Amino acid sequence: MENIISNFNIEGEMINCEEINTGIINSTYIVSMKQQDGTIMKYLLQKINAKVFNEPSILMKNIENITNYLEMQMRKNHDDVHQVLKVIHTKNGKSLCNIKKESGERDYYRVYKYIDGAISYDDSKDRNVIYYTGKAFGNFQKLLKDYPIKRLTETIKDFHDTEKRYNKLMDDIIIDSEDRVNEVAPEIVFLLKHEEYYSLIMDELGTPAIPLRVTHNDTKVNNVLMNKDASDFLAVIDLDTVMPGSMLFDYGDGVRSTASTAKEDEVDLSKISLDLDLFEAYTDGYLSEMAEYLTYEEVNLMADAIRIITLELAIRFLNDYINGDTYFKTDYEKHNLNRARNQIALVKDIELKMDYMKNYVQECYEKHIKSKKGNSRRRK
Ligand code: ADP
Ligand code: GN1
Ligand code: MG
């Protein structure tokens, strides 16, 4: 690690390097550097998963464009509370350092400034934390609402094209390369029965009804850093999947990942449901930032989006299982299958609560629109 760090424009002597094991894609390390005056500076070193992101330099270009723009917006708004990820360059001015391995393949590393004084919750059920998670991602989209979207590259093609992901699953079921299809018949039947939902968002994406926006695409609680007493968010992190897309996937994934009563790989399916209190908290936080910029159709589809993204994750986990676990990191043989079953159980519960959620989204949207109108009348 010392070798890798020495390529970056960082001062001091490396005294510690600790791996963080929360993500299931990249490898992440907190690196502590002792300065000449004895103080310690921390950095975040990441090895980018090149199997998932096959053009790391394009990905870094996206991240630098977005972080520079966000910094500019925050300066304009005199926001000195929230922070933006800061990319540290290599000694020759690059955002990535690549190291050739014996196999001839390359590993790609990047470094961010470590954001200190923050708490990263991996699995919080605290209403406040979830409210500020929704608010952080809403604020992120709001600050980027006028960003020239053509400047952004799709780092993973068709990332949230649920229908394409479903079609790929169907193709791979026929190939059955690992001889695992036999044991997953009930899951396949469940996904077949939900075909009508897969193209609901994508069919209209890019039209005025569902406009292309800058989206984060991984709106989990651990991708927001909170302040110490969870009375505000500090920063939105993990910008690898920032791409043009629909706010519906970001919102839906935010609720899916934060409001489930169980972890994504819980095997006791009776423990899995959607916590309506947390759903409300996330929705309230998100709409407090974004309500006034959303279209009628977007608001209308928000609750459906929670079901669609959960189905998408079930499809992705099941597909990875059938293909021999090549994408998501797994700890044991049926890890991806258990994740798929978990997401299917969550869909079943979401369906029971759909009417309630639709009503709540509408009420909450109206509440925020009214309060914005009230504020702008008072300003006049
Ligand atoms: P992954 O793509 O594997 O999820 P992340 O970029 O989200 O990787 O980083 C993993 C964890 O590292 C985060 O959940 C957070 O706890 C911590 N982290 C990431 N970036 C920073 C940062 N700049 N400052 C402090 N902590 C960070
Ligand atoms: C992956 O980066 P990480 O581990 O937070 C995945 C997301 C999934 C998530 C499910 C690039 O996220 O799409 O929702 O796992 N990221 C990528 O836990 O595929
Ligand atoms: Mg992450």
Side-chain angles (χ1 to χ4, degrees):
M1 285 302 161
E2 225 162 341
N3 225 351
I4 297 161
I5 276 291
S6 68
N7 287 288
F8 287 87
N9 208 354
I10 291 179
E11 291 191 350
E13 177 202 347
M14 187 174 119
I15 53 162
N16 195 27
C17 177
E18 178 195 334
E19 185 163 9
I20 308 183
N21 275 319
T22 52
I24 53 176
I25 300 290
N26 294 318
S27 305
T28 304
Y29 309 86
I30 300 175
V31 177
S32 303
M33 306 291 290
K34 190 168 178 188
Q35 310 298 293
Q36 266 183 352
D37 63 3
T39 55
I40 313 286
M41 289 282 287
K42 282 192 200 163
Y43 295 90
L44 198 102
L45 171 70
Q46 282 183 317
K47 182 166 88 179
I48 298 177
N49 184 330
K51 263 197 232 148
V52 173
F53 302 103
N54 39 39
E55 295 204 70
S57 56
I58 293 183
L59 175 149
M60 288 311 290
K61 186 126 207 64
N62 265 359
I63 292 183
E64 291 208 89
N65 283 342
I66 289 293
T67 51
N68 290 338
Y69 187 90
L70 283 171
E71 234 181 85
M72 203 173 72
Q73 294 301 310
M74 286 189 188
R75 229 177 295 130
K76 249 200 238 163
N77 299 341
H78 308 289
D79 179 350
D80 48 17
V81 173
H82 303 122
Q83 296 184 42
V84 181
L85 274 181
K86 178 98 193 128
V87 177
I88 306 286
H89 286 168
T90 63
K91 287 182 174 143
N92 42 26
K94 302 250 167 55
S95 58
L96 279 175
C97 152
N98 73 70
I99 309 250
K100 202 167 176 178
K101 293 190 289 190
E102 271 174 20
S103 63
E105 284 174 40
R106 287 177 187 280
D107 278 338
Y108 291 85
Y109 290 88
R110 66 162 168 237
V111 170
Y112 289 122
K113 231 173 122 171
Y114 185 79
I115 298 179
D116 233 337
I119 303 189
S120 166
Y121 293 89
D122 205 27
D123 181 34
S124 174
K125 296 295 160 225
D126 177 331
R127 211 177 184 279
N128 257 3
V129 171
I130 305 307
Y131 173 85
Y132 283 109
T133 304
K135 195 169 177 68
F137 287 117
N139 181 260
F140 180 82
Q141 279 177 2
K142 183 171 90 178
L143 293 179
L144 289 161
K145 71 182 168 41
D146 298 320
Y147 183 83
I149 207 127
K150 286 208 180 94
R151 258 193 239 160
L152 269 186
T153 312
E154 242 185 322
T155 45
I156 305 180
K157 222 180 141 352
D158 301 322
F159 191 60
H160 280 315
D161 192 327
T162 318
E163 194 173 30
K164 277 201 181 143
R165 288 196 181 271
Y166 172 72
N167 290 338
K168 168 90 173 54
L169 170 67
M170 290 300 133
D171 291 346
D172 291 349
I173 284 172
I174 293 168
I175 300 168
D176 192 11
S177 62
E178 303 295 311
D179 202 11
R180 287 179 170 182
V181 168
N182 255 339
E183 65 182 307
V184 299
E187 287 73 26
I188 296 173
V189 171
F190 183 86
L191 294 172
L192 272 169
K193 281 193 182 151
H194 284 76
E195 266 185 342
E196 68 189 283
Y197 299 109
Y198 302 144
S199 63
L200 219 56
I201 299 172
M202 286 311 287
D203 276 354
E204 286 194 88
L205 186 60
T207 68
I210 305 186
L212 274 175
R213 300 178 184 275
V214 178
T215 48
H216 182 280
N217 293 302
D218 197 3
T219 47
K220 292 201 234 179
V221 67
N222 64 15
N223 287 331
V224 174
L225 299 180
M226 294 286 160
N227 74 3
K228 284 258 159 72
D229 55 0
S231 61
D232 199 358
F233 65 91
L234 266 190
V236 168
I237 59 169
D238 203 347
L239 305 179
D240 294 332
T241 46
V242 172
M243 284 183 267
S246 165
M247 57 61 65
L248 288 163
F249 293 114
D250 269 7
Y251 165 76
D253 208 21
V255 175
R256 173 196 75 82
S257 62
T258 58
S260 172
T261 52
K263 288 196 170 166
E264 221 169 59
D265 53 5
E266 173 61 58
V267 290
D268 179 351
L269 301 187
S270 70
K271 288 190 180 152
I272 301 165
S273 66
L274 195 89
D275 182 324
L276 285 176
D277 210 33
L278 299 180
F279 149 77
E280 289 182 6
Y282 190 96
T283 306
D284 198 22
Y286 177 78
L287 286 175
S288 70
E289 294 286 328
M290 274 300 282
E292 61 191 311
Y293 308 106
L294 298 178
T295 69
Y296 170 82
E297 288 79 0
E298 285 177 319
V299 178
N300 220 11
L301 280 173
M302 279 170 67
D304 292 288
I306 303 168
R307 163 167 46 197
I308 295 172
I309 193 78
T310 311
L311 283 164
E312 184 178 296
L313 262 299
I315 291 170
R316 291 178 66 190
F317 288 139
L318 190 65
N319 204 160
D320 203 28
Y321 179 67
I322 285 174
N323 286 359
D325 310 307
T326 57
Y327 187 93
F328 296 107
K329 285 184 201 162
T330 49
D331 295 336
Y332 56 92
E333 195 185 297
K334 293 195 192 303
H335 206 161
N336 273 320
L337 175 57
N338 287 335
R339 287 172 176 146
R341 288 181 170 152
N342 174 307
Q343 296 297 291
I344 287 175
L346 189 57
V347 171
K348 289 180 182 164
D349 191 61
I350 288 170
E351 297 191 317
L352 297 175
K353 294 170 176 162
M354 190 51 86
D355 290 343
Y356 179 88
M357 294 199 291
K358 284 194 175 184
N359 279 332
Y360 180 80
V361 167
Q362 197 57 42
E363 274 169 25
C364 187
Y365 168 74
E366 280 160 20
K367 174 184 92 177
H368 287 293
I369 289 291
K370 263 191 209 141
S371 94
K372 296 280 176 228
K373 279 190 186 148
N375 287 343
S376 71
R377 241 182 267 128
R378 271 197 291 284
R379 274 200 297 272
K380 273 182 197 158

